[in-house]
Amino acid sequence: MSQHTAVTLKQDVYRFVANVEEEDIDLFEGIWPIPHGISMNSYFVQGEKGALIDLVCAWEGTPVKVLDQMKEKSFSVKDVHYAVLNHMEPDHTGFLPLLMEKNPEITVVCTEKAAKLVKSFYNIDRIMTVKSGDSLDLGDGKVLHFQEIPNVHWPETMVTYESQSRILFTCDAFGGFGSIEDAIFDDQLNEGQKKFYYDESLRYYVDIVGAFSTFVLRAIDKVASLNLPIDIIAPAHGIIYRKNPMEIVERYKKFATYMEGPCEKEITLVWSSMYGNTEKLVQTIIDGVRSENVDINIFRVPQDHSSYILPAAYRSSALILGMPTYEYKMFPPMAYTIDMFGRKHVYNKKVLRFGSYGWSGGAQKEFEELVEKWKLKWTMVDPIEWEGSPTEATHRKAFEAAAALAREVKQMAAVH
Ligand code: FEO
């Protein structure tokens, strides 16, 4: 099956996909690497009237992929009566001006908050606003029901449930990075693909949705309280869940819970070095953690991208951060990393810091200020700092501190 093929989810419900690759846009949201691409799923529900739910971006060649797949199923834009926008962000709405140009009779369906943005982004005012509990009868038994889920991923978001097919269309919620090729549904994934999409869903979660974990839990509770029979969860990015739709819901719950803990019994080490003196302690630290048989994820900044550091740090019970003093403050790439931890809510960690200084200290002071500024709720272990090159005593101290931290991690509450 080619990558861009229309798929029937249930009778008269279809998925169209546009994969966006790294060479198309370089960085998703202008910041996150997508070496394996990202998919934009768009869904078409055909009653007496047709509704296109969640669109695609406007990036080069993307809308035409959807138009071609509509043709495959013998539809055209003339069959679209409603464009349902669960979320207004341009990766799901960039297609809207072209769609409306081809069929000006289409009515946009979205929340009140989204309507304001549809007007300001696209100067479109043929809009029907909906709120939680509203429904839209498409005829032939197809009825769309709307539920607002604010801040998953922006304040105007909602989900749409089609009651005959029992499909929940969730847009950003339950999505992930990674293009979709021959395996489209959860039951088609081999073990390697399962791991790949799991990891990419966590990276997507922390990079894109991580700052909104409280709202994710609230949205899950809200939709669960409706007791909807759900056969399929159909996100706008990534795999579609039909074998066990609740699996992705539970997975997202677990991801959201990492913010307050419990987390995984592992440690993430992020280190940086100017002339190699902080680097001299890195292997000792790693050896200390491994002496207790605790897993350690290792990153160096600025060499490694925060997109990969964030999910590892977010799911870990403890962090070890290595940085020298630089001009009386922290080594700047590490200051950026702490800033990202704050923005993406890498909270409630046990943290050990180590690093060298020369002419003056200062890194520790700025480090403590940043932790306070971002209200990271970290519990600090005594830092390991030294002037110049580390001595044998410094190595012994670092090994013991890392091993002690690993022992603590082993004692922490297990993740569910
Ligand atoms: Fe996939 Fe928040 O956009």
Side-chain angles (χ1 to χ4, degrees), residues 28-29 87 89 91-92 153-154 171-172 204 208 237:
F28 187 68
E29 286 192 340
H87 176 29
E89 198 155 12
D91 52 329
H92 308 290
H153 146 234
W154 282 113
C171 201
D172 273 356
Y204 169 90
I208 309 293
H237 300 295

Side-chain angles (χ1 to χ4, degrees), residues 113 148-158 215-216 219 222:
K113 281 185 178 148
E148 292 163 271
I149 54 160
N151 292 312
V152 188
H153 146 234
W154 282 113
E156 87 297 350
T157 41
M158 65 176 187
F215 296 95
V216 169
K222 192 174 182 182

